[in-house]
Amino acid sequence: MPGVEPREVIIIGSGPAGLTAAIYCARADLHPLVLEGEPSSNSDQPGGQLMLTTEIENFPGFIEGIMGPELMANFRAQAQRFGAEIETVKVSRVDLTERPFKVWVGDPSQSDPTYSAHSIIVATGARSLMLNVPGESELLGHGVSTCATCDGFFFRNQPIAVIGGGDSAVEEALFLAKFASSVTLIHRRGELRASKIMQDRARAHEKISFLWNSVVTEVIGDSRLRGLSLRNTVTGETSTLEVGGCFIAIGHSPNTDLFRGQLNLDDAGYLLTHEGSRTNIAGVFACGDVQDSNYRQAITAAGSGCMAAIDAERYLEGVSV
Ligand code: NAP
């Protein structure tokens, strides 16, 4: 491949998995290149989902907790300290059919790849799911958000709705209650999925109330969000809730579009791995939420990033590069 010197390892993604892989690869003298993504309002941005979260209380080693963006800044600085190179670019295409593997950023129709590598670690994570109701996409960024940490401040003293019943929704509700005049947590069922400790905190909060068995049927507004149309799933009753902000926290979808048709995926679109971080292509490894629909924790993502780096190192030892 003229003009493109193959790297030993390219890491795609820069959440806890990708940057842990970078720390381990750098310390193993594999000179990793991390393609960290580009800034966006969703979780497929540099640093991944923790950039959109507030206090992380369950990452071991931080007795009082740490803010998500601060934790990721630490991961990044630690990877760079050992020589990991980080580029703020979004991968547009990969070709894993022949070695060295090829990676494009920018125009994917270019014949020459931007980078090539003897091994690839996929750590592209997962992104927020959306409700897919009328008005939602038009008002995203104009009152509708998937990131309380990024946007909560703009809704000071306003009524806010949070959609979802898991830990993310409850965490967002608790965070937003610091700014909002009130927070209504709207859940499609009659009980929360969130962990008990989070539920207890939300139930005890004077600004947080719950709308059970309710789904959003439309996001209402012109240039700015004004309210939500709701339907009760038990009675069928419809109603309108006036809110200045609506935060959607209904789970995530893996960022695997780049690899479809090349790497094996499960029915939900997550990358399939075996024997640690191996994918169906030797030399291509996967770690973090892109291959984990079960645990989805920062600490498990970081652990799997370590595994991927060790697997890549052992793979590279066994092939002449
Ligand atoms: P989740 O656990 O999958 O919960 C998603 C919630 O959204 C569920 O309550 C679900 O309802 C609801 N939902 C899904 N699709 C919907 C739709 N189309 N319309 C309305 N509601 C919908 O996702 P998560 O809350 O993002 O959490 C993901 C993982 O991260 C979990 O393992 C969680 O424990 C972890 N997490 C941990 C923390 C923490 O420890 N601080 C913080 C955030 C997340 P149903 O309940 O009816 O399915």
Side-chain angles (χ1 to χ4, degrees), residues 45-191:
Q45 60 167 304
Q49 293 173 62
L50 292 193
M51 299 302 285
L52 307 183
T53 192
T54 50
E55 189 104 23
I56 314 285
E57 292 184 333
N58 53 8
F59 199 89
F62 298 92
I63 299 163
E64 302 297 334
I66 182 167
M67 298 303 277
E70 189 186 350
L71 181 61
M72 292 324 299
N74 289 350
F75 270 63
R76 197 176 187 277
Q78 193 176 355
Q80 286 178 313
R81 182 182 150 219
F82 295 113
E85 240 180 277
I86 301 179
E87 295 277 352
T88 308
V89 293
K90 197 171 168 67
V91 173
S92 55
R93 179 181 157 201
V94 294
D95 182 352
L96 309 175
T97 56
E98 56 181 22
R99 291 176 177 74
F101 304 119
K102 303 185 192 76
V103 177
W104 283 256
V105 302
D107 182 357
S109 66
Q110 292 287 317
S111 55
D112 287 337
T114 322
Y115 307 102
S116 70
H118 298 293
S119 68
I120 302 261
I121 295 178
V122 179
T124 45
R127 65 180 178 280
S128 306
L129 291 175
M130 302 303 286
L131 295 169
N132 297 319
V133 296
E136 179 188 47
S137 57
E138 291 82 353
L139 291 167
L140 190 64
H142 302 279
V144 176
S145 171
T146 58
C147 176
T149 328
C150 317
D151 302 330
F153 183 79
F154 301 118
F155 301 96
R156 192 171 282 280
N157 299 323
Q158 293 186 43
I160 289 180
V162 175
I163 321 298
D167 278 325
S168 296
V170 174
E171 188 178 67
E172 303 247 310
L174 286 163
F175 177 74
L176 291 164
K178 293 179 194 166
F179 304 96
S181 56
S182 67
V183 176
T184 307
L185 199 144
I186 300 170
H187 185 34
R188 65 183 178 184
R189 291 189 296 132
E191 77 188 91

Side-chain angles (χ1 to χ4, degrees), residues 9-10 12 94-102 117-123 259 262-264 271-287 308 311-312 315-316:
V9 57
I10 285 179
I12 307 176
V94 294
D95 182 352
L96 309 175
T97 56
E98 56 181 22
R99 291 176 177 74
F101 304 119
K102 303 185 192 76
H118 298 293
S119 68
I120 302 261
I121 295 178
V122 179
F259 311 103
Q262 301 191 67
L263 296 180
N264 291 342
L271 287 183
L272 286 170
T273 51
H274 63 99
E275 294 169 74
S277 65
R278 286 166 183 74
T279 67
N280 54 302
I281 296 181
V284 180
F285 306 91
C287 52
D311 290 342
Y315 166 81
L316 290 167

